[in-house]
Amino acid sequence: MIKTLAYVVIILIGFCISPFIIGNTGYIYIAAGDYQIETSLVFGLLGLILFYAALQIVEWLIIFLLNIIIHSRYLPDRWRKQAAKKHTLQGALALAEEDWPSAEKAMSKGAAKGELPALNLFAAARAAHHQHNSQARDQYLAQAAEDPLAQTAARTSKTRYLIQQGQLAEARIELQLLNPTSKSKTPVLKLALDLYQLQGDWQALKLLLPAIKKRQIVTDEIFNNIEQQTNIALLTAATESNEQDLEKCWHWLSKTERSQPTLIAIYARGLCQYERKKDALKLLSKSLKVEPSNSILSALPHILDADDDEIRKLLQRYQQTHEHDAGYQVCLAKLAMQKRDTKVAKEHWTKVCDVSPLRQHWLALAQVQEQLGENTAALQSYRKAANASE
């Protein structure tokens, strides 16, 4: 900009003084050794300007050539980066189309000089996994893990892929390296939730349930089902182990969990198994006073004897309110059979079949009718059982 301004100023000055120069041309005499040059002042000034312009052109050419020489050494790297962008775009389009072979090939090529090579490697690993190429997949993930920021993501991805392949033991090894705790990221907790359920490691899952609920990893309904399944599995395993484990597991449960009828029924049967029937009956009676749930009603025939009249009287309170409750009527029918009161058992099984006409209920009624000598009625019940649903 400054040079251009200087040229303009020189030209303007030239225009201003040119009339004076033309009027008094003068001359220039140059002598160098045996050479002598004599010319007019105007031609000399013009030659000087042309000489300066020639110097400027030479300077520009020299700078241009130097720039080419200097930048030519970086041209291959630039070309490779542009090629990496092209491969990455092709790989992304192939992933969208679920063209796994093309996606793996393009993404692996784009990882060499890509701006974010880890992303290319994760995409290539995904494509390889869909092609059931575990070796290539693990290689891509190993390369991605070389970036410290991508190590957790690489292990998380590998664990997920192993779970999808059904390789639970290998997945557990990778998950242990992630060390899932309440402070872990949500994807790690989700993987731990899925893997622990598949392996039946209910104790490890029980420790993570508070964090899973706090993070809202699953819906409340799904969480409640998982929590119930976990508690049932732990309590059932403790029942089959020994009395000490049973007590430890029972008191590990929260106060709210210890009031759930399903868990009470399991614990009560465990107490009876270890000759603590009195404690079991006390716990069942307390639960029955609140509400006779199906879990408690189904457990009572396995726990009560013919002499346990106190709970039987407690059950009689609900005859009117639970007259059409199939679980309640089944419980009374089985308890009646304990006392060999076949007629009462028949009445209850008849009510059960009216409310819930299942095959097993019709068969139970038919057996009672046979014991009473009602063969015709028993035959009809057997026919209804044959046509009934499970």
Side-chain angles (χ1 to χ4, degrees), residues 155-212:
R155 286 201 177 101
T156 302
S157 299
K158 187 175 182 179
T159 304
R160 183 180 297 108
Y161 292 145
L162 290 172
I163 292 175
Q164 293 174 359
Q165 287 183 318
Q167 299 178 5
L168 302 184
E170 293 81 356
R172 186 61 179 267
I173 295 174
E174 294 294 328
L175 184 64
Q176 288 176 346
L177 295 175
L178 291 170
N179 189 25
T181 62
S182 58
K183 297 181 180 180
S184 299
K185 294 182 178 179
T186 299
V188 177
L189 292 176
K190 183 65 171 63
L191 286 175
L193 173 62
D194 295 338
L195 183 56
Y196 291 161
Q197 288 185 90
L198 291 172
Q199 288 188 316
D201 193 347
W202 307 110
Q203 189 168 3
L205 181 57
K206 180 70 174 177
L207 295 173
L208 284 184
L209 284 178
I212 292 172

Side-chain angles (χ1 to χ4, degrees), residues 246-298:
L246 176 62
E247 288 297 325
K248 182 180 179 180
C249 182
W250 177 252
H251 291 289
W252 190 18
L253 301 175
S254 65
K255 185 177 180 180
T256 303
E257 291 171 339
R258 289 199 297 269
S259 63
Q260 295 177 3
T262 304
L263 301 180
I264 291 174
I266 297 173
Y267 179 57
R269 295 185 69 172
L271 291 176
C272 292
Q273 180 178 335
Y274 296 108
E275 299 181 356
R276 293 176 57 186
K277 184 179 178 180
K278 184 177 180 180
D279 294 334
L281 293 177
K282 183 179 179 180
L283 191 63
L284 291 172
S285 299
K286 184 178 179 181
S287 180
L288 279 175
K289 291 177 181 179
V290 177
E291 179 68 23
S293 66
N294 289 330
S295 299
I296 300 297
L297 292 173
S298 61

